[in-house]
Amino acid sequence: ASLPAAEAVEALLPVLRDRSPVVREAAALSLARHDPPDLFERVRPLLDGAPDETRREIQAALGQAFAQLALNDLAQDLERALRRAPQAIEFDPATATHLSLRAIVHLYVGNFENCIADCEASLRLEPQRASTISLMAFALTRAGKADQALAHANRAIEIDPDYLNFSQRGFVLLALGKT
């Protein structure tokens, strides 16, 4: 028989300190699946008492777990994806991928300005991230700012010509009436 959710969370918290990254990541994913509303507060004592490297590894594992679940939720439950994507950022704020993921969730629900803001934040961390620049071009186009989007689409192509940025530039050019 499985433990009730509250007991499972209590049992998993100390496992986050395990030296094995595989064990730590499995515990983080299990905790994220339980999704207790006060998880950040419950993990805080573990983080405060941990050496810097361990603290960073715990934050990364939890951030990645919430990001993975948010990505899985995109196809089935956008509200849950909207809740989990910020949790990934809360645990691991210095990861551009988590900001880009939240931008994608905002795009899915039509929050183009929030998508643009998250793309900007992600690009402050990783300015050469072609996928985020391309996402920004798409969001700007959807927000009615195709004139700004074209520069981003072109920049994404300059950075990574093999990425699917040519179709993005074509989409922007169509929005500008330039076919």
Side-chain angles (χ1 to χ4, degrees):
S2 63
L3 291 173
E7 290 179 37
V9 168
E10 285 306 313
L12 286 166
L13 283 171
V15 179
L16 286 174
R17 283 188 163 217
D18 195 282
R19 291 198 182 277
S20 165
V22 173
V23 172
R24 185 180 297 125
E25 289 166 14
L29 189 56
S30 292
L31 281 168
R33 282 192 177 120
H34 283 292
D35 201 9
D38 61 345
L39 182 59
F40 194 77
E41 291 78 24
R42 293 169 84 177
V43 170
R44 174 64 56 205
L46 286 175
L47 297 175
D48 290 343
D52 288 345
E53 185 177 336
T54 302
R55 180 176 42 252
R56 178 71 193 119
E57 289 169 358
I58 292 170
Q59 289 174 306
L62 285 165
Q64 184 59 36
F66 277 103
Q68 180 180 340
L69 292 175
L71 194 57
N72 294 345
D73 289 337
L74 277 177
Q76 300 158 338
D77 188 343
L78 285 175
E79 288 302 315
R80 193 165 52 196
L82 273 171
R83 192 174 65 251
R84 284 183 169 159
Q87 288 172 309
I89 297 165
E90 183 177 16
F91 280 110
D92 195 13
T95 301
T97 304
H98 301 334
L99 289 160
S100 295
L101 171 63
R102 188 172 66 183
I104 291 168
V105 175
H106 283 306
L107 183 73
Y108 267 68
V109 297
N111 295 337
F112 305 124
E113 294 302 325
N114 290 342
C115 177
I116 293 165
D118 278 344
C119 285
E120 289 170 342
S122 177
L123 291 170
R124 281 192 291 279
L125 295 172
E126 288 185 36
Q128 300 294 75
R129 192 178 177 93
S131 59
T132 302
I133 297 166
S134 183
L135 177 62
M136 173 86 116
F138 187 76
L140 285 165
T141 303
R142 294 297 309 262
K145 301 175 182 178
D147 53 326
Q148 295 174 37
L150 186 57
H152 290 283
N154 288 334
R155 182 167 164 237
I157 291 168
E158 287 174 16
I159 292 170
D160 187 356
D162 296 328
Y163 192 71
L164 300 174
N165 296 314
F166 286 100
S167 62
Q168 181 62 46
R169 184 168 60 183
F171 180 74
V172 173
L173 290 172
L174 278 173
L176 287 170
K178 299 177 181 181
T179 55

